[in-house]
Amino acid sequence: ATCTKSADVERADSGIGQMSARKWRNRASETLSSLQAWEAHRPCTDCGERDLPVETDVQNCNQRRADLCEKCRKRRTERKESVLEFVNTEASYGEDLRIIKEEFYLPMQAAGLLSQDQLLGIFSNIQELIDLNENFLEVLQEEIDQAFDQGDDDLMTVCIGEIFLEFVNMLPAFQTYCLQQSSSVNMLNALEKEKELLRIFLNVSQNDNTALRRMNLRSFLMAPLQRVTKYPLLLSRIIKATTEYHPDHGSLREAKSRIESHLEHINMKTKQEGNTWTLRSFRQDSKKKREVINIEMRETALKTVGWLREETRFVMEGSLQLAQPPDGQWVKKGSKTLKFQNMQVLLLVNMKRVSESSLESAEPGPVKDAVLVLIRDKNNGKFHLLREPLRLSNCIVSTDPDCDDTFELIEIRREAFVFRDSDRARTHHWFRQIRRYSRELGSWKKRRNALPNIMISTPHTRP
């Protein structure tokens, strides 16, 4: 018999019996039916609903959008349009600011039509607004470009709310401009009647300068007011088109609340100064009223300490109860023997900027100074300081286990203060924050000399 190698043997069948083959075909058919059923009822990637139509177009260039229901697909389109509208209108606003500077301010300054004080009276802090707009727009445009580069055609990764909160310090700049707008227009009207050359320049610019679009200077000077009142409307459109599960949803609402509070504060300051005009009014609720009060207190504190706004960080603020013990024996008797009064307290830190973002959202940098500002409750519609700010570089902060509902702040060789909050946990939080920033100051070891509080020579030291 001739031996046949195994490699020379070729099977005529598939190696699977007829019964097995039939079972495999049935199982494959069931699997295909299941996949088709899943395809017909697959959930929307945004809302999770299963009402998607069956996608039969194999040439669909954007398969990701085929996984959306019709409602979410429309919402994404609206959100993209709202985001682009926010960025494009910010760019248009910046162009109007540059026109104010390049077509009006600089030519009038070069020709000597107005003095420097008159230019400052008319154009106010226009340069500050230009700088803020350029920085804000640069970050917005980078986010848009990065989203497109990563294939995010719907701009779902662009978080306008987070970016707005990073630049929330631009709102006080708008306030400065808005509060001076009435006097700026009155000064421009008076100077235009008084100076013929100025009147000729403004008329020729409006009629012959194509960059002005036949708009006069007064129209351009209204651009910052129009822009700041449009922010809540633009943010509302983005919020409406953003699902609550989106990571930027909370930041968008917070940004909208912050800008509305500042607008209400500007209106309040306008009325106090006797002006009749107001910005667009928004419905006030208790939260916005509290925020308006906080804005006013921050302004009082900044004016008192004289720091630059961009170098100031408001660490904590709120109501505390304050007492000044007459001697150092109060601990034995307990805090019940002390007479407390309600006080608004702000913890301010002056620090070097570590980035271009707002200090309110940045990590603390090197601390140059830290103070506690004590403000009495409103009297006759105005805030009044209790005393000059307490500089933490000259203070010792301590607590006692027997009086864990209070903490003591001793100003070396001067006064002692006892603080407490109605909530014990918040009292401890105040104590930790004040002690933290006090210890970050370079003179901590020097003034304590690594000794406990009892070694410090002061009549108010605890026993």
Side-chain angles (χ1 to χ4, degrees), residues 18-121:
Q18 291 184 354
M19 293 298 294
S20 299
R22 189 178 299 111
K23 290 181 180 179
W24 279 104
R25 285 195 295 270
N26 292 338
R27 186 169 298 177
S29 177
E30 292 174 0
T31 302
L32 180 60
S33 299
S34 298
L35 290 174
Q36 291 175 345
W38 167 258
E39 183 69 15
H41 299 285
R42 66 191 186 281
C44 171
T45 56
D46 277 6
C47 65
E49 298 293 334
R50 295 178 178 270
D51 59 349
L52 278 75
V54 179
E55 186 64 50
T56 58
D57 185 6
V58 296
Q59 297 181 352
N60 188 353
C61 62
N62 194 345
Q63 184 63 35
R64 183 167 52 85
R65 289 181 64 87
D67 295 334
L68 300 172
C69 65
E70 188 64 28
K71 180 180 179 181
C72 291
R73 189 179 304 183
K74 182 179 179 181
R75 178 185 293 170
R76 282 199 177 192
T77 301
E78 292 175 352
R79 186 181 189 278
K80 177 181 179 180
E81 293 174 351
S82 300
V83 168
L84 291 177
E85 180 186 13
F86 188 99
V87 179
N88 293 335
T89 53
E90 186 70 23
S92 300
Y93 160 66
E95 184 62 28
D96 287 343
L97 292 181
R98 284 184 285 276
I99 288 176
I100 294 175
K101 178 181 178 180
E102 297 173 3
E103 305 298 335
F104 291 105
Y105 181 88
L106 293 179
M108 292 164 65
Q109 183 184 47
L113 295 178
L114 297 177
S115 66
Q116 193 61 38
D117 291 339
Q118 291 171 336
L119 289 172
L120 180 62

Side-chain angles (χ1 to χ4, degrees), residues 32 89-90 104 117 150 178 185 188 269 290 329 367 425 440 452:
L32 180 60
T89 53
E90 186 70 23
F104 291 105
D117 291 339
Q150 295 176 350
C178 293
V185 173
L188 178 61
K269 298 287 287 186
R290 290 196 302 269
Q329 303 297 320
V367 177
E440 285 190 18

Side-chain angles (χ1 to χ4, degrees), residues 407-440:
F407 65 91
E408 186 179 39
L409 186 146
I410 301 176
E411 191 177 17
I412 299 176
R413 295 184 178 86
R414 292 193 64 183
E415 298 176 275
F417 299 89
V418 178
F419 293 94
R420 72 179 182 186
D421 193 280
S422 56
D423 180 65
R424 182 169 300 185
R426 187 163 174 81
T427 300
H428 295 167
H429 185 55
W430 270 100
F431 167 71
R432 289 192 297 268
Q433 289 291 334
I434 295 174
R435 183 179 61 178
R436 169 193 173 186
Y437 286 99
S438 175
R439 288 180 173 178
E440 285 190 18

Side-chain angles (χ1 to χ4, degrees), residues 232 253 256-257 260-261 263-264 267 280-289 292:
R253 290 193 172 276
K256 181 173 178 287
S257 177
E260 289 178 351
S261 298
L263 292 177
E264 293 294 345
N267 284 339
R280 178 184 175 87
S281 179
F282 294 89
R283 180 180 60 84
Q284 286 192 10
D285 54 26
S286 58
K287 181 179 178 180
K288 290 189 178 64
K289 289 180 180 178
V292 170

Side-chain angles (χ1 to χ4, degrees), residues 103-104 108 113 188 192-193 195-210 212 214-218:
E103 305 298 335
F104 291 105
M108 292 164 65
L113 295 178
L188 178 61
E192 191 174 3
K193 294 178 180 179
K195 296 179 178 292
E196 184 178 1
L197 290 179
L198 175 63
R199 184 168 60 254
I200 294 174
F201 167 78
L202 295 177
N203 290 335
V204 171
S205 298
Q206 180 179 355
N207 296 325
D208 297 343
N209 191 340
T210 56
L212 304 186
R214 290 192 173 275
M215 294 170 56
N216 56 29
L217 176 57
R218 293 174 186 80

Side-chain angles (χ1 to χ4, degrees), residues 91-335:
S92 300
Y93 160 66
E95 184 62 28
D96 287 343
L97 292 181
R98 284 184 285 276
I99 288 176
I100 294 175
K101 178 181 178 180
E102 297 173 3
E103 305 298 335
F104 291 105
Y105 181 88
L106 293 179
M108 292 164 65
Q109 183 184 47
L113 295 178
L114 297 177
S115 66
Q116 193 61 38
D117 291 339
Q118 291 171 336
L119 289 172
L120 180 62
I122 293 176
F123 295 98
S124 187
N125 61 330
I126 196 69
Q127 185 59 52
E128 182 183 12
L129 295 177
I130 291 175
D131 295 337
L132 289 169
N133 167 260
E134 290 178 350
N135 295 333
F136 187 37
L137 186 61
E138 181 181 0
V139 175
L140 289 172
Q141 195 60 55
E142 286 179 357
E143 289 290 315
I144 298 293
D145 296 340
Q146 184 178 0
F148 282 133
D149 292 342
Q150 295 176 350
D152 179 17
D153 296 333
D154 294 328
L155 304 181
M156 294 298 292
T157 58
V158 177
C159 296
I160 296 294
E162 292 182 3
I163 299 174
F164 192 95
L165 291 178
E166 288 180 3
F167 285 86
V168 74
N169 271 350
M170 67 181 177
L171 298 180
F174 277 105
Q175 174 178 313
T176 300
Y177 186 91
C178 293
L179 292 178
Q180 295 183 11
Q181 178 63 18
S182 180
S183 60
S184 297
V185 173
N186 293 335
M187 178 179 290
L188 178 61
N189 293 336
L191 291 174
E192 191 174 3
K193 294 178 180 179
E194 177 184 342
K195 296 179 178 292
E196 184 178 1
L197 290 179
L198 175 63
R199 184 168 60 254
I200 294 174
F201 167 78
L202 295 177
N203 290 335
V204 171
S205 298
Q206 180 179 355
N207 296 325
D208 297 343
N209 191 340
T210 56
L212 304 186
R213 309 187 298 275
R214 290 192 173 275
M215 294 170 56
N216 56 29
L217 176 57
R218 293 174 186 80
S219 299
F220 282 102
L221 291 177
M222 291 295 295
L225 280 72
Q226 295 169 347
R227 184 59 186 172
V228 73
T229 54
K230 197 171 183 180
Y231 280 135
L233 304 178
L234 294 172
L235 291 172
S236 295
R237 293 177 188 174
I238 301 178
I239 292 172
K240 184 179 179 180
T242 301
T243 176
E244 61 181 359
Y245 304 108
H246 194 280
D248 195 40
H249 190 268
S251 297
L252 285 167
R253 290 193 172 276
E254 177 66 17
K256 181 173 178 287
S257 177
R258 296 288 289 273
I259 181 63
E260 289 178 351
S261 298
H262 271 271
L263 292 177
E264 293 294 345
H265 178 64
I266 293 173
N267 284 339
M268 180 188 68
K269 298 287 287 186
T270 300
K271 293 178 181 178
Q272 290 178 356
E273 295 179 5
N275 296 324
T276 57
W277 65 273
T278 57
L279 297 175
R280 178 184 175 87
S281 179
F282 294 89
R283 180 180 60 84
Q284 286 192 10
D285 54 26
S286 58
K287 181 179 178 180
K288 290 189 178 64
K289 289 180 180 178
R290 290 196 302 269
E291 180 63 24
V292 170
I293 294 175
N294 291 342
I295 295 171
E296 191 173 358
M297 286 195 302
R298 292 172 198 162
E299 285 191 345
T300 302
L302 270 179
K303 185 178 180 181
T304 302
V305 297
W307 296 346
L308 295 177
R309 189 182 302 275
E310 58 270 17
E311 295 182 354
T312 303
R313 185 168 184 260
F314 292 90
V315 180
M316 288 192 70
E317 56 190 37
S319 178
L320 280 179
Q321 295 179 353
L322 176 147
Q324 291 184 268
D327 51 44
Q329 303 297 320
W330 69 271
V331 175
K332 296 181 180 180
K333 302 176 183 178
S335 59

